[in-house]
């Protein structure tokens, strides 16, 4: 999957280490919006940090244990999606997303997540896609619901963000459910 259309003018594309300068600028411009939910939003503070983050996902993709993609609107980076966990042996992956405030409300996250789920189940034969989000992230929960995911419960204080342990809601979708 090199690039895939999400909507007119919107695409899902690879986000790679050579794009570190653009990614660093994006994170700097949106840090306040991203930081409450994504620990890397405070770790990526310059081009070198962005390159290291993007390289970790390039290495994960090489090793078939993760993926990272940009959501672009009219060519501009406005968000992204990733498989934070991609375990082929167990058939389980975890999908994550983020979007800029100015790109919210256009259905881009839901469309990107659908493409990622289609690929995980259809092309890779995964059995389960998980979605984890802070219990306070109501927009993320709404996307999980739109995707037909089942809320399985809450992992208490399971994920640190900026030094604070977050309670994480766990949602999932099974390949059999997606096919139906």
């Amino acid at each position: 999957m090199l690039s895939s259309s999400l909507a007119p003018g919107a695409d899902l594309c690879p986000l790679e280490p050579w794009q570190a300068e653009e990614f660093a600028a994006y994170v700097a411009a949106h840090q306040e919006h991203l930081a409450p939910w994504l620990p890397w939003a405070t770790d990526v503070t310059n081009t070198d940090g962005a390159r290291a983050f993007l390289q970790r996902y390039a290495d994960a993709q090489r090793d078939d244990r993760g993926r990272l993609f940009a959501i672009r609107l009219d060519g501009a980076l406005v968000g992204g999606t990733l498989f934070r966990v991609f375990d082929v042996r167990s058939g389980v992956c975890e999908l994550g997303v983020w979007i800029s405030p100015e790109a919210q409300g256009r259905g881009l996250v839901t469309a990107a997540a659908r493409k990622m789920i289609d690929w995980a189940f259809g092309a890779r034969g995964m059995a389960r896609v998980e979605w984890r989000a802070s219990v306070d992230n109501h927009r993320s929960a709404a996307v999980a619901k739109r995707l037909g995911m089942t809320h399985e419960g809450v992992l208490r204080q399971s994920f640190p963000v900026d030094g604070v342990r977050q309670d994480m809601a766990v949602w999932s979708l099974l390949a059999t459910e997606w096919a139906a």
Side-chain angles (χ1 to χ4, degrees):
M1 173 170 37
L2 288 178
S3 181
S4 186
S5 178
L6 299 174
D11 297 295
L12 184 65
C13 313
L15 186 55
E16 300 175 337
W18 63 270
Q19 297 164 307
E21 188 173 330
E22 176 190 27
F23 185 61
Y26 171 85
V27 174
H30 298 91
Q31 188 174 43
E32 186 176 319
H33 174 70
L34 300 172
W37 320 115
L38 303 167
W40 54 260
T42 54
D43 295 339
V44 175
T45 58
N46 56 39
T47 301
D48 289 338
R51 186 173 293 106
F53 177 81
L54 296 174
Q55 187 63 53
R56 280 195 300 275
Y57 276 92
D59 294 345
Q61 182 168 333
R62 177 199 65 215
D63 297 338
D64 202 21
R65 55 180 174 75
R67 300 279 187 287
L68 175 64
F69 292 92
I71 298 172
R72 295 190 177 276
L73 186 57
D74 298 324
L77 178 62
V78 296
T81 183
L82 55 79
F83 286 118
R84 192 180 75 81
V85 174
F86 197 83
D87 186 344
V88 175
R89 202 175 95 209
S90 70
V92 176
C93 56
E94 180 189 336
L95 177 59
V97 298
W98 68 93
I99 195 83
S100 306
E102 66 274 10
Q104 289 177 340
R106 298 170 186 243
L108 298 177
V109 166
T110 303
R114 280 192 166 99
K115 297 270 186 184
M116 300 287 282
I117 292 167
D118 279 343
W119 181 82
F121 288 146
R124 296 310 310 280
M126 300 301 273
R128 174 185 169 91
V129 173
E130 294 180 352
W131 182 280
R132 297 179 183 210
S134 168
V135 296
D136 296 326
N137 191 338
H138 305 293
R139 293 183 74 91
S140 188
V143 174
K145 290 175 189 175
R146 278 194 298 278
L147 293 168
M149 293 187 160
T150 298
H151 182 251
E152 294 186 335
V154 174
L155 300 173
R156 299 179 309 146
Q157 295 187 9
S158 67
F159 195 74
V161 178
D162 202 21
V164 177
R165 298 206 62 85
Q166 303 288 315
D167 291 349
M168 301 299 285
V170 179
W171 300 77
S172 73
L173 187 62
L174 305 179
T176 53
E177 297 166 336
W178 191 249

